[in-house]
PDB file of all heavy atoms in Angstrom:
ATOM      1  N   LEU A 850     -14.289  -7.980   2.340  1.00 98.00           N
ATOM      2  CA  LEU A 850     -13.971  -8.708   1.123  1.00 98.00           C
ATOM      3  C   LEU A 850     -13.967 -10.209   1.408  1.00 98.00           C
ATOM      4  O   LEU A 850     -13.631 -10.648   2.519  1.00 98.00           O
ATOM      5  CB  LEU A 850     -12.603  -8.299   0.584  1.00 98.00           C
ATOM      6  CG  LEU A 850     -12.433  -6.867   0.068  1.00 98.00           C
ATOM      7  CD1 LEU A 850     -11.060  -6.710  -0.559  1.00 98.00           C
ATOM      8  CD2 LEU A 850     -13.512  -6.477  -0.918  1.00 98.00           C
ATOM      9  N   THR A 851     -14.326 -10.994   0.405  1.00 98.00           N
ATOM     10  CA  THR A 851     -14.264 -12.442   0.547  1.00 98.00           C
ATOM     11  C   THR A 851     -12.846 -12.929   0.245  1.00 98.00           C
ATOM     12  O   THR A 851     -12.042 -12.209  -0.362  1.00 98.00           O
ATOM     13  CB  THR A 851     -15.244 -13.127  -0.411  1.00 98.00           C
ATOM     14  OG1 THR A 851     -14.816 -12.888  -1.764  1.00 98.00           O
ATOM     15  CG2 THR A 851     -16.652 -12.584  -0.221  1.00 98.00           C
ATOM     16  N   GLU A 852     -12.551 -14.146   0.661  1.00 97.00           N
ATOM     17  CA  GLU A 852     -11.248 -14.724   0.340  1.00 97.00           C
ATOM     18  C   GLU A 852     -11.049 -14.816  -1.170  1.00 97.00           C
ATOM     19  O   GLU A 852      -9.930 -14.625  -1.666  1.00 97.00           O
ATOM     20  CB  GLU A 852     -11.116 -16.104   0.978  1.00 97.00           C
ATOM     21  CG  GLU A 852     -11.040 -16.072   2.497  1.00 97.00           C
ATOM     22  CD  GLU A 852     -10.754 -17.442   3.084  1.00 97.00           C
ATOM     23  OE1 GLU A 852     -10.233 -18.311   2.348  1.00 97.00           O
ATOM     24  OE2 GLU A 852     -11.049 -17.656   4.276  1.00 97.00           O
ATOM     25  N   THR A 853     -12.134 -15.096  -1.904  1.00 97.00           N
ATOM     26  CA  THR A 853     -12.048 -15.169  -3.367  1.00 97.00           C
ATOM     27  C   THR A 853     -11.686 -13.819  -3.957  1.00 97.00           C
ATOM     28  O   THR A 853     -10.861 -13.729  -4.885  1.00 97.00           O
ATOM     29  CB  THR A 853     -13.379 -15.666  -3.952  1.00 97.00           C
ATOM     30  OG1 THR A 853     -13.662 -16.975  -3.442  1.00 97.00           O
ATOM     31  CG2 THR A 853     -13.324 -15.719  -5.472  1.00 97.00           C
ATOM     32  N   GLU A 854     -12.275 -12.743  -3.437  1.00 98.00           N
ATOM     33  CA  GLU A 854     -11.961 -11.406  -3.933  1.00 98.00           C
ATOM     34  C   GLU A 854     -10.515 -11.037  -3.631  1.00 98.00           C
ATOM     35  O   GLU A 854      -9.816 -10.453  -4.471  1.00 98.00           O
ATOM     36  CB  GLU A 854     -12.918 -10.387  -3.317  1.00 98.00           C
ATOM     37  CG  GLU A 854     -14.337 -10.479  -3.846  1.00 98.00           C
ATOM     38  CD  GLU A 854     -15.300  -9.590  -3.100  1.00 98.00           C
ATOM     39  OE1 GLU A 854     -15.181  -9.476  -1.856  1.00 98.00           O
ATOM     40  OE2 GLU A 854     -16.195  -8.999  -3.746  1.00 98.00           O
ATOM     41  N   ILE A 855     -10.056 -11.350  -2.442  1.00 98.00           N
ATOM     42  CA  ILE A 855      -8.676 -11.037  -2.062  1.00 98.00           C
ATOM     43  C   ILE A 855      -7.697 -11.813  -2.931  1.00 98.00           C
ATOM     44  O   ILE A 855      -6.705 -11.258  -3.424  1.00 98.00           O
ATOM     45  CB  ILE A 855      -8.458 -11.337  -0.564  1.00 98.00           C
ATOM     46  CG1 ILE A 855      -9.234 -10.315   0.281  1.00 98.00           C
ATOM     47  CG2 ILE A 855      -6.978 -11.322  -0.204  1.00 98.00           C
ATOM     48  CD1 ILE A 855      -9.233 -10.614   1.762  1.00 98.00           C
ATOM     49  N   LYS A 856      -7.973 -13.092  -3.137  1.00 97.00           N
ATOM     50  CA  LYS A 856      -7.108 -13.890  -4.010  1.00 97.00           C
ATOM     51  C   LYS A 856      -7.155 -13.356  -5.442  1.00 97.00           C
ATOM     52  O   LYS A 856      -6.129 -13.326  -6.140  1.00 97.00           O
ATOM     53  CB  LYS A 856      -7.563 -15.345  -3.970  1.00 97.00           C
ATOM     54  CG  LYS A 856      -6.708 -16.294  -4.824  1.00 97.00           C
ATOM     55  CD  LYS A 856      -5.281 -16.374  -4.337  1.00 97.00           C
ATOM     56  CE  LYS A 856      -4.545 -17.579  -4.911  1.00 97.00           C
ATOM     57  NZ  LYS A 856      -4.526 -17.614  -6.382  1.00 97.00           N
ATOM     58  N   GLY A 857      -8.333 -12.908  -5.891  1.00 97.00           N
ATOM     59  CA  GLY A 857      -8.451 -12.358  -7.230  1.00 97.00           C
ATOM     60  C   GLY A 857      -7.631 -11.094  -7.417  1.00 97.00           C
ATOM     61  O   GLY A 857      -7.046 -10.875  -8.485  1.00 97.00           O
ATOM     62  N   GLN A 858      -7.561 -10.254  -6.388  1.00 97.00           N
ATOM     63  CA  GLN A 858      -6.744  -9.044  -6.480  1.00 97.00           C
ATOM     64  C   GLN A 858      -5.262  -9.393  -6.557  1.00 97.00           C
ATOM     65  O   GLN A 858      -4.502  -8.737  -7.273  1.00 97.00           O
ATOM     66  CB  GLN A 858      -7.032  -8.132  -5.282  1.00 97.00           C
ATOM     67  CG  GLN A 858      -8.413  -7.514  -5.333  1.00 97.00           C
ATOM     68  CD  GLN A 858      -8.745  -6.708  -4.103  1.00 97.00           C
ATOM     69  OE1 GLN A 858      -7.892  -6.465  -3.255  1.00 97.00           O
ATOM     70  NE2 GLN A 858     -10.001  -6.290  -3.982  1.00 97.00           N
ATOM     71  N   PHE A 859      -4.858 -10.407  -5.825  1.00 97.00           N
ATOM     72  CA  PHE A 859      -3.463 -10.835  -5.915  1.00 97.00           C
ATOM     73  C   PHE A 859      -3.159 -11.380  -7.311  1.00 97.00           C
ATOM     74  O   PHE A 859      -2.116 -11.068  -7.895  1.00 97.00           O
ATOM     75  CB  PHE A 859      -3.168 -11.890  -4.852  1.00 97.00           C
ATOM     76  CG  PHE A 859      -1.772 -12.444  -4.932  1.00 97.00           C
ATOM     77  CD1 PHE A 859      -0.679 -11.647  -4.629  1.00 97.00           C
ATOM     78  CD2 PHE A 859      -1.553 -13.758  -5.320  1.00 97.00           C
ATOM     79  CE1 PHE A 859       0.616 -12.147  -4.705  1.00 97.00           C
ATOM     80  CE2 PHE A 859      -0.268 -14.269  -5.397  1.00 97.00           C
ATOM     81  CZ  PHE A 859       0.815 -13.463  -5.096  1.00 97.00           C
ATOM     82  N   ASP A 860      -4.071 -12.182  -7.851  1.00 97.00           N
ATOM     83  CA  ASP A 860      -3.866 -12.734  -9.188  1.00 97.00           C
ATOM     84  C   ASP A 860      -3.856 -11.642 -10.250  1.00 97.00           C
ATOM     85  O   ASP A 860      -3.194 -11.780 -11.290  1.00 97.00           O
ATOM     86  CB  ASP A 860      -4.953 -13.758  -9.510  1.00 97.00           C
ATOM     87  CG  ASP A 860      -4.857 -15.021  -8.663  1.00 97.00           C
ATOM     88  OD1 ASP A 860      -3.766 -15.283  -8.118  1.00 97.00           O
ATOM     89  OD2 ASP A 860      -5.867 -15.736  -8.530  1.00 97.00           O
ATOM     90  N   LEU A 861      -4.571 -10.541 -10.002  1.00 95.00           N
ATOM     91  CA  LEU A 861      -4.602  -9.427 -10.946  1.00 95.00           C
ATOM     92  C   LEU A 861      -3.228  -8.774 -11.069  1.00 95.00           C
ATOM     93  O   LEU A 861      -2.889  -8.217 -12.115  1.00 95.00           O
ATOM     94  CB  LEU A 861      -5.646  -8.398 -10.494  1.00 95.00           C
ATOM     95  CG  LEU A 861      -6.029  -7.281 -11.450  1.00 95.00           C
ATOM     96  CD1 LEU A 861      -6.625  -7.846 -12.729  1.00 95.00           C
ATOM     97  CD2 LEU A 861      -7.025  -6.342 -10.770  1.00 95.00           C
ATOM     98  N   GLY A 862      -2.441  -8.823 -10.000  1.00 95.00           N
ATOM     99  CA  GLY A 862      -1.070  -8.335 -10.051  1.00 95.00           C
ATOM    100  C   GLY A 862      -0.900  -6.911  -9.575  1.00 95.00           C
ATOM    101  O   GLY A 862      -1.863  -6.176  -9.334  1.00 95.00           O
TER     102      GLY A 862
END
Side-chain angles (χ1 to χ4, degrees):
L850 294 186
T851 66
E852 292 186 21
T853 299
E854 289 173 321
I855 290 173
K856 181 63 164 57
Q858 290 175 9
F859 177 68
D860 292 340
L861 191 61

